Amino acid sequence: MVPHLITALNGPINELEQRILDSTPAIERWFRLEWMEHTPPFYSSVDVRNAGFKLAPVDTNLFPGGWNRLSPQMQPLAVQAAMAAIEKICPEARNLLLIPENHGDPDYLENVAQLSRIFHAAGLNVRVGSVDPEIKDVTMLTLASGEQLRLEPVVRNGGRLATRHFDPCTILLNNDLSQGAPGILEELHEQYLLPPLHAGWSVRRKSRHFQSYEEVSKRFGKMLGIDPWLVNPLFENAGEVDFASGRGMEALAQSVNTLLTRVRRKYKEYGINEKAFAVVKTDNGTGGIGVMTVHDARDLESLSERARQKMSSGKDGQTVHDIIVQEGVPTYEHVGKANAEPVVYMMDRYVVGGFYRVHGERGADENLSGPGASAVPLDYDDSARLTAPGAKGSAEAPNRFYMYGVIGRLAMLSASYELEATNPEAEAYD
C-alpha cells in the first residue's frame, strides 16, 4: 500500500483514477501474486506524469538519489522498508557499506547522508566508501546543513570489499555505473551487492525497460478491464543516432513520425483535443540529460548547434549513441503556478513516499528535470485515515497518491522483469 499524502491536484477525480481506487483489493492481490514470482529491485524511484486522461511513468531509476527531498515524516516508512528488504536478503546483516557517485554535488551528498541515516535507523552499522581513485585517504565533507560526512577509500581483499577499519557483509550502491562497473566491484562472491551490477546504466536500456512495462501494463489492463495505453507510454527504438554528424537522423525522424501517428490515433479514439508530442531521449542514463520535446519530425531538421551538442553528450560527458522516442505525456499538476510531476520512491516492494519535481520555466510538454528544477516534499494528509471504500467525487476522500503508487509499482515490477532478463548469472546457468 502507499501512504495517504497531500498531492497537488485537488479537483474531482477522473474516470481512470476512480477505476483504480475502486479496484484496490484486486490490484493489491495482483501485486502480491506477482511478488511471489519476481524479486523487486532493492530500491527505485519513478517519474510519473498525470495528464488527466492518462497516468504513466516516464522514467525509472534503480539507483535513486534525492532521498533528502522526502519529507521527514516519510523516514519511518523508509526505515521499515529497509528493515524488510535487508531481512529478506541477509537476515544476519550487521555492517553496510554505502558506495556513492564519484562527485561532490552538495545536494547529492545530502542524499547520501539521508540514506546513511535510514539504514542506521534500520539497525545497521553504516560507512560511506568511495571507489573514486582520487580518494586515497579518509575525507571529511561538510554538508550544506553543517553535518560532516566521512568518506573512506574502498579497498579490495580477495573477494571482499572493505575500508581500512570496516568489513561489511552488504554493499549498497548509490552509483548508477554510467561509465561502467569499476573492476573493484566485479566478481564479489563473498558479500551481497545491492543492486546488482547489471542494473547500472552501462547495461540497462530504457527501451528494454519499457518493453517490459508494456508487457506488465497489458496484463494489468486486462485484470482491471482498461485499455493498457491509459497507463503505458508508447515508444519507438530509434537505434544509433549521431546528432553531431547527422548519421541516423533520417531513421530518427521516421521513428518520431511512426510514434506520433500511433498517439494521434489514440487521441482520436478517446476524443482528446491535445497536440500530440514525442520525447527524444538517450536510451541509457538519467538526470534529465539528453532529452528534448518534438511535436513533428520536421522539428529535427531545424535543431540548433547547441541542441545537437546537448543531445550528443550524456552523463559525465559520455557520447550518446542509442536513442529512444517516447510518447509525450503532458503534466496537468502544478505547485503554485509552476508545472510539476510526482516522483515516487520505493524500497523493496513498498512505496515510502515521494516529492514533486517543479519547474517554473518549462511547459507541461517539457522535461522538468534539469537546471532550475526544485523539489517540494509530499506531506501526510492531516486526516491520516484509510480511504473509505466506494468514496466518490470528493478530492479529500480518496488517496490520490495511491494511483501514483500503483504506477510506480508497475514500473518497479517491470524493472524486476528487466533485471531477470539481463542477469548474466541466469544466462550462464541456462
Side-chain angles (χ1 to χ4, degrees), residues 78-104:
V79 171
Q80 269 193 319
M83 287 178 173
I86 291 291
E87 182 178 343
K88 184 168 65 177
I89 295 166
C90 181
E92 68 277 11
R94 178 181 299 172
N95 295 338
L96 181 140
L97 182 64
L98 172 57
I99 298 181
E101 297 273 359
N102 292 344
H103 62 75

Side-chain angles (χ1 to χ4, degrees), residues 13-31:
I13 58 176
N14 60 40
E15 183 180 349
L16 174 60
E17 292 175 327
Q18 190 67 63
R19 176 68 69 90
I20 291 175
L21 285 172
D22 290 344
S23 304
T24 297
I27 290 172
E28 295 308 316
R29 179 179 182 275
W30 187 82
F31 274 122

Side-chain angles (χ1 to χ4, degrees), residues 58-110:
V58 293
D59 202 11
T60 301
N61 189 359
L62 299 185
F63 298 86
W67 289 92
N68 57 308
R69 298 172 186 167
L70 274 61
S71 164
Q73 294 176 301
M74 300 296 101
Q75 185 163 336
L77 289 175
V79 171
Q80 269 193 319
M83 287 178 173
I86 291 291
E87 182 178 343
K88 184 168 65 177
I89 295 166
C90 181
E92 68 277 11
R94 178 181 299 172
N95 295 338
L96 181 140
L97 182 64
L98 172 57
I99 298 181
E101 297 273 359
N102 292 344
H103 62 75
D105 176 78
D107 184 66
Y108 175 74
L109 293 177
E110 293 284 358

Side-chain angles (χ1 to χ4, degrees), residues 197-226:
L197 294 181
H198 64 280
W201 281 122
S202 56
V203 176
R204 282 193 75 204
R205 291 295 179 268
K206 295 173 185 176
S207 53
R208 185 184 289 120
H209 174 75
F210 282 102
Q211 185 177 10
S212 296
Y213 187 86
E214 184 175 9
E215 177 187 347
V216 167
S217 65
K218 285 179 180 178
R219 296 177 54 239
F220 180 77
K222 183 177 181 180
M223 182 272 295
L224 213 60
I226 63 171

Side-chain angles (χ1 to χ4, degrees), residues 92-392:
E92 68 277 11
R94 178 181 299 172
N95 295 338
L96 181 140
L97 182 64
L98 172 57
I99 298 181
E101 297 273 359
N102 292 344
H103 62 75
D105 176 78
D107 184 66
Y108 175 74
L109 293 177
E110 293 284 358
N111 152 77
V112 174
Q114 179 66 1
L115 267 177
S116 298
R117 285 190 287 268
I118 289 170
F119 285 96
H120 176 77
L124 295 169
N125 300 313
V126 182
R127 298 283 184 91
V128 180
S130 175
V131 295
D132 185 347
E134 298 296 319
I135 303 293
K136 301 183 186 300
D137 297 297
V138 172
T139 303
M140 301 301 295
L141 302 173
T142 302
L143 307 182
S145 61
E147 180 182 352
Q148 292 276 306
L149 183 67
R150 178 187 174 95
L151 196 61
E152 304 179 41
V154 172
V155 295
R156 179 76 177 250
N157 296 319
R160 298 182 69 84
L161 283 187
T163 66
R164 289 172 189 167
H165 306 292
F166 189 72
D167 184 25
C169 50
T170 305
I171 313 294
L172 177 62
L173 291 178
N174 197 241
N175 181 321
D176 66 17
L177 308 176
S178 294
Q179 293 185 313
I184 196 171
L185 296 179
E186 294 179 339
E187 298 182 5
L188 290 176
H189 301 301
E190 300 177 16
Q191 294 162 307
Y192 293 94
L193 183 65
L194 307 169
L197 294 181
H198 64 280
W201 281 122
S202 56
V203 176
R204 282 193 75 204
R205 291 295 179 268
K206 295 173 185 176
S207 53
R208 185 184 289 120
H209 174 75
F210 282 102
Q211 185 177 10
S212 296
Y213 187 86
E214 184 175 9
E215 177 187 347
V216 167
S217 65
K218 285 179 180 178
R219 296 177 54 239
F220 180 77
K222 183 177 181 180
M223 182 272 295
L224 213 60
I226 63 171
D227 183 348
W229 176 75
L230 297 173
V231 296
N232 177 38
L234 303 177
F235 76 94
E236 293 283 331
N237 191 341
E240 290 192 14
V241 178
D242 186 334
F243 284 91
S245 69
R247 181 173 55 83
M249 292 295 289
E250 186 175 335
L252 174 59
Q254 182 60 49
S255 294
V256 169
N257 267 329
T258 300
L259 180 74
L260 288 177
T261 298
R262 295 170 65 196
V263 176
R264 288 167 186 148
R265 191 179 300 130
K266 280 294 184 181
Y267 278 21
K268 183 176 181 180
E269 177 183 344
Y270 285 93
I272 297 167
N273 296 316
E274 299 282 346
K275 186 173 183 181
F277 65 98
V279 177
V280 177
K281 58 173 74 172
T282 175
D283 202 11
N284 66 324
T286 186
I289 300 172
V291 180
M292 68 176 176
T293 298
V294 295
H295 293 87
D296 192 287
R298 287 173 292 187
D299 294 347
L300 298 170
E301 299 172 4
S302 56
L303 285 182
S304 66
E305 184 61 30
R306 184 178 177 215
R308 288 178 181 272
Q309 287 179 351
K310 287 177 69 175
M311 289 301 297
S312 297
S313 181
K315 185 179 176 182
D316 299 325
Q318 296 179 86
T319 301
V320 170
H321 295 293
D322 298 328
I323 295 294
I324 180 177
V325 182
Q326 190 176 65
E327 174 187 355
V329 181
T331 180
Y332 288 114
E333 300 209 48
H334 300 84
V335 172
K337 295 183 179 180
N339 288 305
E341 64 186 10
V343 184
V344 180
Y345 275 67
M346 291 157 290
M347 193 172 292
D348 193 60
R349 60 178 183 164
Y350 305 103
V351 176
V352 298
F355 65 87
Y356 272 108
R357 181 180 291 118
V358 182
H359 206 303
E361 299 177 2
R362 294 191 179 180
D365 61 350
E366 292 184 281
N367 170 37
L368 301 186
S369 180
S374 60
V376 177
L378 285 165
D379 288 320
Y380 279 118
D381 186 336
D382 58 11
S383 63
R385 68 187 183 283
L386 291 174
T387 304
K392 297 178 184 291

